[in-house]
Amino acid sequence: MKIGFLTSGGDCQGLNAALRGVAKTLFGAVPYVEIYGIQDGFAGLIDCNWRKMEQHEFSGILREGGTILGTSRQPFKTIRNFDDSKNTDRLTTMVRNYHKEYFDALVILGGNGTHKTAYALSQYGINIVTLPKTIDNDLYGTDYSFGFNSAVSKATDVLDTLHSTAASHGRIFVCELMGHKAGWVALYAGIAGGADVILIPEIPYSVDSVLEVIDKRNQSGKNFSIIAIAEGAITCEEAQQPKSERRVGDISPGMQLVRVLDEKLNQDVRLTIPGHFQRGGDPTPSDRVFCSRLGAMAGELVLQRKFGYMVALQGLSIGAVPLSEVAGKLKTVPLDSEILKQTRLLGISLGD
Ligand code: F6P
């Protein structure tokens, strides 16, 4: 069996742990398996940039951040672009290269964009098994994606750390967290890190409501507040506008909120943006276990020649979801979810 591995899209913690899990399962079960590492995601499949990997190369990487294969973003909307040098579109090039190399299957680790491309490739008859990777946790079909737990842990560290300096100075801290169009990272880290206000894209916020929280805290003798804001958060006013008109220039949601609070409050307001810090470093033990389980399941699917699936967490079990059910769908925080109800019960404001 000749299997190509590739990691695609933004990196996250746990990619190596997951690759190791698949490799261990395949090498352990079949003596004649060959694994090829495709470099830098779909770019490597387009440019035939791959190499045969030895079993030992998957050792000692369980806790390593990043990806030993490299990664790149190849937006789905560009995969049908015509490539002059190859005299065809990129999707066709990938299909051709797969057959030219006599691959039996591809194991693809990626998030939303990656799954659209993986599904398109599978529709061209390519044997594919995917693993759900993204700190944003916005992949449909799995309860969690790997990287999320590690990113939440990093973001929580930041919020924890801000508490002491916020309290010493009696300041308001706005901490802008990643998550793309979903509020999962801000919500989980906000709860774990004791934020007073959590602003997520799913719930447009009102500045007055945020000011009210700060005022109430000040009146009760707590002269500092911590606000966790997702990078995709929007105000109620913005929610009424067409998307193209929502934010002027390069002002991030966190910066925008800080400017408004600064104007309205007689109190210091500071902004912290941990950015890619949330995606770097070691995976948490929980992600290492999760990635290893997903990897084992992905390996098993390959061995069973059960293709066209994403391995996924379903309750307490690792299952498999058809790519057709995953591709092109976004999993945002449901407005009627228990976690939002509980967040409110805990007295955390969601800014509405
Ligand atoms: O999808 C993961 C993610 O980290 C998002 O949370 C964020 O919006 C984006 O990637 C950042 O992308 P880049 O690494 O290309 O700057």
Side-chain angles (χ1 to χ4, degrees), residues 9-12 73 111 133-136 138 177-181 185 231 275-276 278-279:
D11 75 340
C12 73
R73 289 193 188 279
K133 167 242 67 164
T134 169
I135 66 160
D136 303 336
D138 59 355
L177 299 172
M178 277 188 171
H180 200 43
K181 292 178 185 159
V185 175
E231 64 180 352
H276 291 78
Q278 294 161 92
R279 251 170 50 188

Side-chain angles (χ1 to χ4, degrees), residues 74-81 91 112-118 120:
Q74 304 295 327
F76 177 69
K77 57 179 183 242
T78 67
I79 66 160
R80 287 179 201 276
N81 286 2
L91 188 62
N112 270 305
T114 301
H115 275 81
K116 288 192 219 165
T117 303

